Amino acid sequence: MTCAKCGVPVSDGAAFCASCGTATRDPTAVTLGIAIARTEDPLLVAVREGLASYYVIEKELGRGGMAVVYKGKEKGLEREVAIKVLPPEMALQGGTADRFRREARLAASLEHQNIIPVYRVGEEKNLIYMAMKFVRGRSLDAILEDQGALPVPVVVRILAAAASGLAHAHEHNVVHRDIKGANILIELDGRPLVADFGIARAMTENSLTASGMVIGTPNFMSPEQCGGSKVGPQSDQYSLGILGFQMLTGQLPFEADSIMGIIQHHYMTPPPDIRTVRDGVPEELLAILYKALEKKPENRYQTTQEMADYLDAVPLP
């Protein structure tokens, strides 16, 4: 065998030419191609197999602290669905399965045009799941991140719709407890939908959410929620007030370097004056937001439907 570059004879088995250093290749050598199979996520495979009787699972949409959400299509009806699944390993953790079943039960009990509908709740092959409407649109927090402060009519429409949906939940003794931009979805036609009742609580239940537990998103939590007290509809009203402030100004009313600093603001600090950063906000809307942001629950609206009615009456240009 000779070197392909310089023509000097090369010893059999040599990897390089001794004269010019060019790498050699044995024409009799055989190149082996090894195919490495891509393995799918084991949970995705398990969900596809476990729910095959009802759904065709397409892909994963996202993961939270407790569950994984998949996009699928319901067989027979051919409608798109979002399926929230509790992984088997999570079901083994104390209280997690009960909490997921409770969320599914509460969410399925609510039927309102501004609440994401739940189609089915079930358990198949160690998988606890619930199938919901698949929403084509975006979350409010993603919109705020892209656009900042929103036009006043848009703010009023979103707040009124969310308050209407929450009023329905409250009338059925369900408190959401985690109202924030991430849990308000805006459909392509502009309709707001309240989502994720993951830490919701029936007002008649105490066993799974004992007093003293602080659960929620600190920037949007009411003072009573920060203190681990039992919360009612007025807590969701406060969170809506925070969200309204954020939509009008592009920023949160209370921020700090630590969670404890934020909680202290909720307890002690009056909300800033929106008029210092935003002109043209109707006085009626400001009055609604500041009433919702009262530190004491009894100083907020007696019912959330009352808050929704006032929002519907805000005069707009």
Side-chain angles (χ1 to χ4, degrees):
M1 184 173 65
T2 59
C3 175
K5 183 176 182 180
C6 66
V8 173
V10 179
S11 302
D12 291 341
F16 300 93
C17 171
S19 175
C20 67
T22 301
T24 62
R25 181 182 178 188
D26 185 349
T28 63
V30 178
T31 301
L32 298 178
I34 302 176
I36 301 176
R38 292 183 61 186
T39 58
E40 286 190 307
D41 175 55
L43 181 59
L44 175 58
V45 174
V47 171
R48 279 178 174 158
E49 293 176 353
L51 305 185
S53 298
Y54 308 108
Y55 305 101
V56 176
I57 307 300
E58 298 177 8
K59 62 181 180 179
E60 179 180 319
L61 293 176
R63 292 178 179 245
M66 182 173 65
V68 184
V69 181
Y70 298 96
K71 181 179 183 292
K73 183 170 289 187
E74 187 173 2
K75 293 183 176 180
L77 296 177
E78 291 292 314
R79 64 181 174 186
E80 293 181 313
V81 292
I83 302 175
K84 180 179 284 191
V85 178
L86 181 67
E89 64 271 15
M90 293 294 294
L92 298 176
Q93 298 182 16
T96 303
D98 286 338
R99 178 178 156 189
F100 187 89
R101 290 189 186 97
R102 178 171 56 105
E103 173 194 356
R105 183 176 68 248
L106 294 177
S109 70
L110 304 174
E111 295 183 12
H112 189 275
Q113 64 178 353
N114 297 116
I115 295 178
I116 291 184
V118 174
Y119 298 143
R120 183 195 295 264
V121 177
E123 297 186 31
E124 298 285 341
K125 298 183 179 179
N126 298 321
L127 296 171
I128 306 174
Y129 73 95
M130 63 176 169
M132 306 165 288
K133 177 181 180 178
F134 175 74
V135 177
R136 291 189 174 277
R138 303 179 70 195
S139 66
L140 178 56
D141 69 334
I143 295 172
L144 288 169
E145 185 175 349
D146 284 349
Q147 300 185 24
L150 302 178
V152 170
V154 174
V155 173
V156 173
R157 181 178 182 185
I158 291 173
L159 286 175
S164 180
L166 287 171
H168 174 79
H170 297 160
E171 288 165 4
H172 288 74
N173 294 321
V174 177
V175 182
H176 191 287
R177 300 203 303 168
D178 199 21
I179 291 298
K180 57 185 177 182
N183 288 336
I184 305 292
L185 303 183
I186 311 298
E187 287 193 291
L188 292 180
D189 64 1
R191 179 161 58 122
L193 294 168
V194 179
D196 198 352
F197 282 76
I199 63 171
R201 182 182 64 80
M203 286 184 262
T204 55
E205 290 183 2
N206 291 312
S207 59
L208 292 174
T209 54
S211 179
M213 293 180 64
V214 179
I215 303 176
T217 303
N219 286 112
F220 293 86
M221 286 164 55
S222 65
E224 62 270 26
Q225 193 174 2
C226 291
S229 301
K230 186 175 181 179
V231 300
Q234 287 71 29
S235 182
D236 285 346
Q237 294 173 17
Y238 185 93
S239 299
L240 268 184
I242 297 285
L243 188 59
F245 187 103
Q246 184 185 25
M247 285 192 286
L248 286 173
T249 66
Q251 57 193 19
L252 293 165
F254 306 125
E255 295 189 87
D257 295 331
S258 67
I259 291 177
M260 289 307 300
I262 294 172
I263 289 176
Q264 186 175 10
H265 280 313
H266 286 308
Y267 274 122
M268 306 293 296
T269 308
D273 188 350
I274 292 173
R275 289 166 293 194
T276 62
V277 294
R278 179 75 182 263
D279 295 326
V281 180
E283 290 296 325
E284 293 85 349
L285 178 56
L286 293 174
I288 293 169
L289 294 181
Y290 286 120
K291 185 174 180 64
L293 289 171
E294 287 282 350
K295 302 300 183 184
K296 295 181 179 180
E298 59 268 26
N299 292 336
R300 301 172 206 148
Y301 290 95
Q302 186 173 358
T303 68
T304 307
Q305 185 57 54
E306 182 186 3
M307 181 179 179
D309 291 341
Y310 274 106
L311 284 164
D312 281 333
V314 172
L316 297 173

